[in-house]
Amino acid sequence: MSTSQLVVQHLPYLRRYARALTGSQVAGDAYVAATLETLVNEPDTLGRSTNIKADLFRVFTRIWNSLSVNGRSEQVQHDLPAEVRLGQITPLPRQAFLLSCLEGFSEEDAAIILAVDVSEVRDLVDEAGRELAADMATEILIIEDEPLIAMDLEALVEGLGHNVIGVARTRTEAIKIASEGKRPGLILADIQLADGSSGLDAVNDLLKTFEVPVIFITAYPERFLTGERPEPAFLIAKPFQPANVSAVISQALFFQQTARRREAKTA
């Protein structure tokens, strides 16, 4: 397959990224068009890398960071709530977050695209996660039987602007908290609980009555990989890094709101 054919193959993903980055498909497409013009006029810009997609995004990034193709490019459309929030995040962290969380680039590829090192990519994603989480505050249920870990998680999510509706140590406690208090907008759950009950079972019970994103934080990730996990769900292995938890919370809430908006459009 020729280089031009490979570029065309990746254009839908670049357009998706450009829309999320600018907050508008029109503005995003203006930058994509400028990228294609650059490739036509300077065909060597892509280099000789075998990773055409990363190279294409690298050229786009160079253009987006260096000029304003569209005078209204930073004005977001108000019917795009997820994109509006992303548009309010500092530009470089926003790019790192979207490259990693929306487009699925590895840290190494994101570093090449942004012309930074891998450690800076991690810091940028963490910064974006904190900014985005603070703007998407919700009610969180923590299912964790280890008191110190539960306290750390509670402090972490409250520091991001969320409200913890309760901390459950068992499956029974989790169901009781959810039935008696506010419905959570996100669940953080361990898998192995204090009385031998399962966080997986607790979450499955809860998701029978409402649907929210779930993040499993566990020392037993193999129990998650059974093919029976609830969706949508994310996995963080213990011991965890607070920055990782922050970024994954932001991912979970961002994609949940995007999915709800998509469903509302098709309803």
Side-chain angles (χ1 to χ4, degrees):
M1 188 177 293
S2 68
T3 299
S4 60
Q5 288 175 316
L6 288 171
V7 167
V8 170
Q9 185 180 38
H10 296 307
L11 277 182
Y13 304 103
L14 185 63
R15 293 187 68 222
R16 175 179 65 185
Y17 172 70
R19 171 179 172 155
L21 189 62
T22 64
S24 161
Q25 191 66 71
V26 173
D29 282 347
Y31 283 97
V32 171
T35 300
L36 295 178
E37 290 175 8
T38 298
L39 295 181
V40 169
N41 296 326
E42 305 172 34
D44 293 337
T45 305
L46 281 181
R48 298 183 179 180
S49 169
T50 56
N51 192 340
I52 296 296
K53 183 178 180 180
D55 262 0
L56 178 63
F57 276 69
R58 176 180 55 79
V59 175
F60 172 92
T61 297
R62 188 188 73 184
I63 292 171
W64 192 80
N65 285 331
S66 63
L67 58 96
S68 178
V69 175
N70 184 323
R72 300 177 51 143
S73 61
E74 299 305 320
Q75 296 181 17
V76 295
Q77 299 173 359
H78 294 292
D79 62 339
L80 303 175
E83 285 86 342
V84 168
R85 291 183 175 88
L86 282 168
Q88 295 171 343
I89 297 177
T90 311
L92 196 53
R94 183 162 82 243
Q95 292 173 76
F97 179 85
L98 289 170
L99 289 170
S100 301
C101 304
L102 179 64
E103 299 302 331
F105 281 106
S106 66
E107 290 179 339
E108 290 75 17
D109 283 341
I112 292 172
I113 292 168
L114 297 176
V116 299
D117 57 37
V118 171
S119 63
E120 187 170 352
V121 168
R122 292 174 186 154
D123 290 341
L124 289 169
V125 171
D126 177 34
E127 182 178 344
R130 284 186 275 107
E131 291 186 42
L132 188 56
D135 193 45
M136 301 174 74
T138 190
E139 311 290 334
I140 293 182
L141 170 62
I142 297 174
I143 306 174
E144 171 60 63
D145 65 324
E146 297 184 40
L148 291 179
I149 294 178
M151 289 174 61
D152 286 344
L153 288 173
E154 188 170 8
L156 173 62
V157 298
E158 288 181 346
L160 294 171
H162 303 295
N163 178 50
V164 176
I165 63 172
V167 177
R169 298 180 66 250
T170 67
R171 176 182 181 181
T172 302
E173 288 180 10
I175 295 171
K176 182 178 180 181
I177 291 172
S179 62
E180 294 181 349
K182 290 185 177 180
R183 177 176 295 183
L186 175 71
I187 298 173
L188 302 180
D190 193 0
I191 291 180
Q192 180 66 50
L193 301 179
D195 61 349
S197 60
S198 166
L200 277 170
D201 291 338
V203 168
N204 280 320
D205 287 342
L206 294 172
L207 294 187
K208 289 177 183 177
T209 56
F210 56 84
E211 182 178 333
V212 296
V214 180
I215 301 174
F216 287 103
I217 304 176
T218 178
Y220 304 94
E222 67 278 1
R223 299 188 186 182
F224 181 85
L225 304 173
T226 61
E228 301 174 355
R229 69 183 190 272
E231 297 289 354
F234 300 80
L235 177 66
I236 297 175
K238 292 179 180 177
F240 59 81
Q241 295 295 322
N244 190 22
V245 177
S246 172
V248 175
I249 287 175
S250 299
Q251 291 179 50
L253 294 176
F254 170 70
F255 289 120
Q256 172 77 352
Q257 293 201 12
T258 301
R260 284 178 178 171
R261 178 177 172 273
R262 191 177 298 117
E263 290 171 1
K265 274 190 169 184
T266 59

